[in-house]
Amino acid sequence: MALEVQVLKLFKMKSGISKSLNNSVAKAFHLLDYFNVAKPEWGVRELAKETGANKSTTYRMLATLESLGVLRKDEISEKYSLGLKLFELGNRVSIQSAFVSQTHPVLKQVAEEITETVHLGILKDNEVFMVDKIESPKGLQLNSVIGTSSPAYCSGLGKILLAHLKQGDLKQALESIDLKTNTEFTITKKTILKKELEQIKIQGYAIDRQELELGLICVAVPVYNQKNQVIAALSAAGPSIRFQEEKVESYVATLKKGARTIQQKIGNFKI
Amino acid sequence: MALEVQVLKLFKMKSGISKSLNNSVAKAFHLLDYFNVAKPEWGVRELAKETGANKSTTYRMLATLESLGVLRKDEISEKYSLGLKLFELGNRVSIQSAFVSQTHPVLKQVAEEITETVHLGILKDNEVFMVDKIESPKGLQLNSVIGTSSPAYCSGLGKILLAHLKQGDLKQALESIDLKTNTEFTITKKTILKKELEQIKIQGYAIDRQELELGLICVAVPVYNQKNQVIAALSAAGPSIRFQEEKVESYVATLKKGARTIQQKIGNFKI
DNA sequence: AAACACTGTTTCATATATTGAAACAATTAA
DNA sequence: TTAATTGTTTCAATATATGAAACAGTGTTT
């Protein structure tokens, strides 16, 4: 029995995978992971060296993937890169459902710990698009609806997402935003909003204190992918009556833990 | 030797594949092809029945792909669908990362100006491969799907791309094409198609007048890179009821403006 | 011109992984 | 209860993947 095989079996045992998984398929996708932005092209021998696999094996795997259109081979350099088949398959993925299926259990966990309503949102056309929601177990329900958008400047989710935009994108977003007054606490001046966003980016979380709706407070943190790009935001929201200033720290900690769990699950996913 | 294996070997021989390809990997990607827009979710037994494979084999393949994140399993229905891993890999393909991410905003701009559905396509194996699409804001949706291929001889995109092939490549392409009748307007004679392609190359744009589908008209222009190689085509498509002959000029102008913007953005990129 | 260093590719005995019928487990419907 | 679904596991039979070595190119250096 080759060493590699022993290691694989050991890995399977340790990770609790008792199922008999298809080795070749796992190897194929493991190989595809080496084709990234940093190094999108590989030759047979260099890839074999990098992965530690035999060059015959690597050659046949690459040839197989090429014949399927999963990889393509540059005719001149004879190097391989990711092919149109993956583009095709990638376009078929329903990201909404694929993403939520990963994040939903995390939201549930966070909601149980915080015992308030938890939201997951992304920025879409400079508004907050609600991707998923777990209702507070305490009963008091919010009127937020999955699949709808709402203004970004007056919610915790929105502010943390705006705060992490690239400078140019933020400038563009601020220009297109109309700061309507929702409550006496709503931020209605762009200079003030700008300063608050800077502060939010530094402190790593955002609080909405009744800026959208009287009596509603929410705390939000960013969700990163494994490239450390902010791709979503996670928040806990509840009635201001229940809200205690000294709890903010613990809310943020729980939310950040959830955000990290999501980060581990989703890889390099980007909306 | 099982029958299935004999058939596979026969297939390999007939298609001129002498190389020893990895069976399991080929089967895995063959399986993934069953997850399409028409049927995005599959259970173990129904997929086994559809593919003609054994249900144990199918089960293990699906479980393997799920453990890799290539598929995801709905917890309630226990059915499988395409997962985030494929989305991630699809986004790493150079056509996505180096091309579509650049061209998408241009398509959006063109679609807003023309207020019809806009497509971006390339030539792949003598067919039109749909790279990107912006739906018409007018609502009437076309059944085109990103990541799929369709015949080149009966679409605006295809005709403009064929027209700009090198003579030798065009000759080869025309030989391999089968001019099937889709509508009463479809070009079915190669001599006529040849003449039309010459005309199209001279005038700089192509029109498909209900050649693929009754009631569907589209106008297409070539997209050049900075080496002045035609690398893609840009089109506007809509119902023939809305189509006015005198608008062609303005459509072509807007499309060409978009094509030039893309040219500036992408440098010497080649598909 | 010969030797070298670097590619990708093929061979073949052998070790390994995949296969499928059957049995099992767990739900749901009649 | 019976019947008809579903997903899952088992194990011997068998097809398949493996890797060292040889081969076949290409371009570079001696």
Side-chain angles (χ1 to χ4, degrees), chain B residues 99-136:
Chain B
F99 194 61
V100 176
S101 63
Q102 299 284 314
T103 59
H104 192 79
V106 182
L107 262 70
K108 213 170 163 184
Q109 176 65 29
V110 172
E112 275 167 22
E113 281 189 42
I114 297 188
T115 65
E116 294 288 1
T117 298
V118 173
H119 287 123
L120 187 72
I122 63 170
L123 215 54
K124 183 196 163 197
D125 304 329
N126 297 327
E127 292 204 311
V128 176
F129 183 83
M130 199 66 75
V131 166
D132 200 7
K133 174 190 184 182
I134 304 277
E135 300 271 3
S136 161

Side-chain angles (χ1 to χ4, degrees), chain B residues 1 22-23 43-45 55-56 59 73:
Chain B
M1 192 190 279
N22 188 307
N23 226 326
V44 172
R45 276 174 137 97
K55 70 184 157 64
S56 299
Y59 164 72
K73 190 175 167 185

Side-chain angles (χ1 to χ4, degrees), chain A residues 161-188:
Chain A
L161 287 167
L162 286 176
H164 284 86
L165 279 180
K166 280 182 288 179
Q167 264 202 329
D169 292 343
L170 176 57
K171 203 182 162 194
Q172 204 172 21
L174 286 175
E175 274 167 18
S176 71
I177 286 178
D178 176 28
L179 302 181
K180 280 199 298 179
T181 305
N182 301 305
T183 75
E184 54 189 300
F185 302 106
T186 308
I187 300 171
T188 53

Side-chain angles (χ1 to χ4, degrees), chain A:
Chain A
M1 192 189 281
L3 178 66
E4 201 186 317
V5 177
Q6 284 182 34
V7 172
L8 187 66
K9 292 219 166 160
L10 207 63
F11 168 76
K12 280 186 183 176
M13 284 163 64
K14 283 207 174 177
S15 53
I17 306 173
S18 62
K19 288 173 191 171
S20 142
L21 297 181
N22 188 307
N23 225 326
S24 301
V25 174
K27 279 176 195 164
F29 278 96
H30 181 239
L31 214 62
L32 290 177
D33 268 340
Y34 283 85
F35 295 80
N36 52 38
V37 184
K39 181 133 182 58
E41 283 197 337
W42 289 93
V44 173
R45 277 175 138 96
E46 60 174 341
L47 185 53
K49 201 176 170 186
E50 180 74 21
T51 58
N54 182 280
K55 71 183 156 66
S56 299
T57 308
T58 305
Y59 164 72
R60 279 183 295 244
M61 188 60 89
L62 290 174
T64 301
L65 291 168
E66 192 212 348
S67 81
L68 296 166
V70 174
L71 291 177
R72 68 200 189 90
K73 190 175 169 185
D74 188 283
E75 288 192 359
I76 298 157
S77 69
E78 292 211 307
K79 295 201 172 195
Y80 294 86
S81 56
L82 299 181
L84 283 181
K85 187 78 202 169
L86 288 173
F87 177 83
E88 181 190 334
L89 288 168
N91 270 293
R92 284 196 218 154
V93 181
S94 160
I95 51 166
Q96 183 91 347
S97 52
F99 184 61
V100 172
S101 72
Q102 297 290 309
T103 57
H104 193 79
V106 182
L107 263 71
K108 214 169 163 184
Q109 176 65 30
V110 172
E112 274 168 22
E113 281 190 40
I114 297 189
T115 64
E116 294 288 2
T117 298
V118 173
H119 288 122
L120 186 73
I122 62 168
L123 215 54
K124 189 179 164 192
D125 303 328
N126 295 327
E127 292 205 308
V128 176
F129 182 84
M130 200 65 75
V131 170
D132 199 9
K133 175 190 183 182
I134 304 279
E135 301 272 3
S136 161
K138 287 184 184 153
L140 203 146
Q141 297 197 352
L142 306 182
N143 58 358
S144 57
V145 178
I146 294 171
T148 62
S149 291
S150 51
Y153 69 98
C154 52
S155 78
L157 286 173
K159 289 197 291 183
I160 196 79
L161 287 167
L162 286 176
H164 284 86
L165 279 180
K166 280 182 288 179
Q167 264 202 329
D169 292 343
L170 176 57
K171 203 182 162 194
Q172 204 172 21
L174 286 175
E175 274 167 18
S176 71
I177 286 178
D178 176 28
L179 302 181
K180 280 199 298 179
T181 305
N182 301 305
T183 75
E184 54 189 300
F185 302 106
T186 308
I187 300 171
T188 53
K189 285 189 180 160
K190 294 203 177 173
T191 49
I192 296 176
L193 179 59
K194 228 168 172 175
K195 277 187 186 166
E196 165 133 8
L197 292 179
E198 281 166 18
Q199 175 60 24
I200 283 171
K201 190 167 181 181
I202 293 165
Q203 73 187 18
Y205 63 90
I207 300 187
D208 151 28
R209 294 179 209 273
Q210 313 188 52
E211 293 165 33
L212 177 65
E213 205 175 318
L214 274 180
L216 179 69
I217 290 188
C218 105
V219 184
V221 303
V223 177
Y224 298 87
N225 69 4
Q226 288 180 12
K227 277 183 187 164
N228 286 318
Q229 300 166 313
V230 173
I231 51 149
L234 188 65
S235 80
S240 51
I241 319 153
R242 281 208 291 260
F243 189 81
Q244 293 155 335
E245 208 58 51
E246 61 269 25
K247 272 195 175 176
V248 169
E249 225 175 284
S250 118
Y251 283 169
V252 170
T254 308
L255 287 168
K256 283 195 171 173
K257 198 178 68 181
R260 277 195 300 274
T261 311
I262 292 173
Q263 183 180 26
Q264 285 159 21
K265 284 190 166 192
I266 58 163
N268 289 329
F269 173 81
K270 195 161 184 300
I271 303 286

Side-chain angles (χ1 to χ4, degrees), chain B residues 8-119:
Chain B
L8 187 64
K9 294 222 165 157
L10 206 64
F11 167 75
K12 282 186 183 176
M13 285 164 65
K14 284 206 174 180
S15 52
I17 307 173
S18 62
K19 290 171 188 169
S20 140
L21 297 180
N22 188 307
N23 226 326
S24 299
V25 174
K27 278 177 195 162
F29 279 96
H30 182 237
L31 214 62
L32 290 177
D33 266 340
Y34 283 85
F35 295 80
N36 52 36
V37 183
K39 181 135 181 57
E41 284 196 335
W42 288 93
V44 172
R45 276 174 137 97
E46 60 174 340
L47 185 53
K49 201 175 170 187
E50 181 73 21
T51 58
N54 183 279
K55 70 184 157 64
S56 299
T57 307
T58 305
Y59 164 72
R60 279 183 297 240
M61 187 61 87
L62 290 173
T64 301
L65 291 168
E66 192 211 350
S67 80
L68 296 165
V70 174
L71 291 177
R72 68 190 192 84
K73 190 175 167 185
D74 189 283
E75 288 193 359
I76 299 155
S77 69
E78 291 211 307
K79 295 201 171 192
Y80 294 85
S81 55
L82 300 181
L84 277 182
K85 187 78 203 169
L86 287 174
F87 182 83
E88 185 191 330
L89 287 168
N91 272 299
R92 280 197 223 156
V93 182
S94 75
I95 198 171
Q96 170 65 43
S97 59
F99 194 61
V100 176
S101 63
Q102 299 284 314
T103 59
H104 192 79
V106 182
L107 262 70
K108 213 170 163 184
Q109 176 65 29
V110 172
E112 275 167 22
E113 281 189 42
I114 297 188
T115 65
E116 294 288 1
T117 298
V118 173
H119 287 123

